[in-house]
Amino acid sequence: MVVSTPATVRSDFAVDARTQAMFDRNGCVKLPGVIDPDVVDDWAPLISDAVVELNTEHLPLEERDTYGKAFLQVSNIWQRNDQVAEFAYSADLARIATELLGVRGVRMYHDQALYKEPGGGITPWHADQYYWPFATDRCITVWVPLQDTPAELGPLTFAQGSHGFEFGRDLAISDESEEQLQQALGAQSFAVDDSPYRLGDVSYHLGWTFHRAGANASAEPRRVMTMIYVDADMIITEPTNANQVRDLATWMPGMRPGDVVSSPLNPVLYQR
Ligand SMILES: O=C(O)CCC(=O)C(=O)O
């Protein structure tokens, strides 16, 4: 059987003034119907095959820590699977990121499949930029569910407006981040968006926006593909923790603080 690659992910979604205002205010936005559901359906098995092939986590769920129970995490699939690279390189998803960030263009930082297994645990509250040595907040993740994602599968959940909140920016994903941030974010009365996603919906969030996800209480895996983009002109800063040292070496090999993010792993995916 000849398996053909589905069409490159296209979208004519235009970021209008209302969407932009919502994103600027909340540091995140869930966007309905960005991708044709049939196209997502076509891609889902290819991405799942890559996750099965490349996954290195083989411990039973009950033997993993909280981070390990949250999801199977397979990163930079684009480097190892030419088909999935076409998905990860979607110019339209990168265009939307560029428009939301208000920059001239974006580069690939890395991609990541996040598969929450049946019975998989919560994703603790955290902000991604704790892991990233960047000079500004112009970095963004697109979260693309590969099936309808109602509450029982663990949809991504945002504390709206928390991208300006500084407490907890030094916390790695852990039981501690969940506990401390649940309390701190609750005390600030941030609105929490834990709404479901329909197939074809996606969300975008800034690196400093606090987010979490519930456990997967269903019998199906919660399959999600993400791409993380940075401003095409992003400057690398001195790492402030061991995770940032590792991220610098892994996602920007050969680069140093003061450089523009521009290793061979960081192609420009869209520019205006
Ligand atoms: O998918 C999840 O459960 C968490 C995702 C996340 O933290 C992210 O994409 O930044």
Side-chain angles (χ1 to χ4, degrees):
M1 188 175 84
V2 177
V3 180
S4 64
T5 305
T8 300
V9 180
R10 295 202 193 288
S11 175
D12 55 11
F13 185 91
V15 176
D16 61 14
R18 191 177 149 273
T19 306
Q20 187 69 59
M22 209 183 319
F23 182 76
D24 291 344
R25 189 171 59 247
N26 294 336
C28 56
V29 68
K30 291 189 180 179
L31 300 175
V34 166
I35 311 173
D36 179 340
D38 290 339
V39 171
V40 186
D41 251 349
D42 281 349
W43 277 100
L46 289 173
I47 296 171
S48 295
D49 285 352
V51 168
V52 169
E53 184 194 334
L54 301 172
N55 169 50
T56 55
E57 174 60 88
H58 300 294
L59 280 178
L61 262 175
E62 57 280 8
E63 290 177 29
R64 302 183 210 157
D65 65 8
T66 299
Y67 192 145
K69 286 187 175 107
F71 38 63
L72 299 177
Q73 179 174 14
V74 181
S75 303
N76 262 17
I77 302 179
W78 75 265
Q79 281 185 276
R80 296 175 283 170
N81 183 308
D82 290 345
Q83 287 187 309
V84 177
E86 286 199 37
F87 185 101
Y89 272 46
S90 164
D92 278 324
L93 294 179
R95 170 185 56 78
I96 296 168
T98 300
E99 292 174 0
L100 290 171
L101 289 176
V103 294
R104 75 169 176 90
V106 292
R107 296 174 181 274
M108 171 67 87
Y109 185 41
H110 54 281
D111 71 38
Q112 224 163 231
L114 298 170
Y115 275 43
K116 205 181 270 296
E117 299 148 280
I122 64 154
T123 308
W125 281 114
H126 68 281
D128 303 328
Q129 205 162 336
Y130 158 79
Y131 292 89
W132 305 339
F134 295 149
T136 77
D137 70 346
R138 298 294 92 183
C139 45
I140 191 168
T141 300
V142 62
W143 199 83
V144 185
L146 304 176
Q147 71 288 301
D148 284 343
T149 308
E152 62 167 356
L153 267 74
L156 198 57
T157 296
F158 301 108
Q160 293 177 326
S162 61
H163 54 304
F165 187 55
E166 296 194 1
F167 175 87
R169 288 187 175 187
D170 57 347
L171 295 174
I173 299 174
S174 59
D175 292 328
E176 186 194 1
S177 71
E178 173 69 7
E179 191 186 313
Q180 292 205 22
L181 284 161
Q182 181 66 40
Q183 196 177 18
L185 296 167
Q188 297 293 316
S189 305
F190 289 113
V192 171
D193 179 3
D194 60 358
S195 55
Y197 294 67
R198 299 299 306 267
L199 191 63
D201 299 353
V202 307
S203 62
Y204 285 84
H205 64 274
L206 286 173
W208 282 128
T209 304
F210 287 100
H211 54 284
R212 76 185 294 278
N216 183 356
S218 83
E220 304 296 324
R222 186 217 64 180
R223 298 164 300 157
V224 171
M225 184 63 182
T226 67
M227 274 79 74
I228 298 135
Y229 310 104
V230 293
D231 177 358
D233 298 317
M234 180 66 82
I235 304 283
I236 301 169
T237 51
E238 198 66 54
T240 57
N241 59 52
N243 286 304
Q244 291 193 6
V245 172
R246 198 188 50 201
D247 256 43
L248 175 53
T250 308
W251 308 130
M252 302 171 282
M255 308 243 78
R256 300 154 64 112
D259 291 344
V260 172
V261 175
S262 54
S263 84
L265 300 191
N266 314 117
V268 174
L269 296 184
Y270 180 81
Q271 57 187 341
R272 312 196 205 214

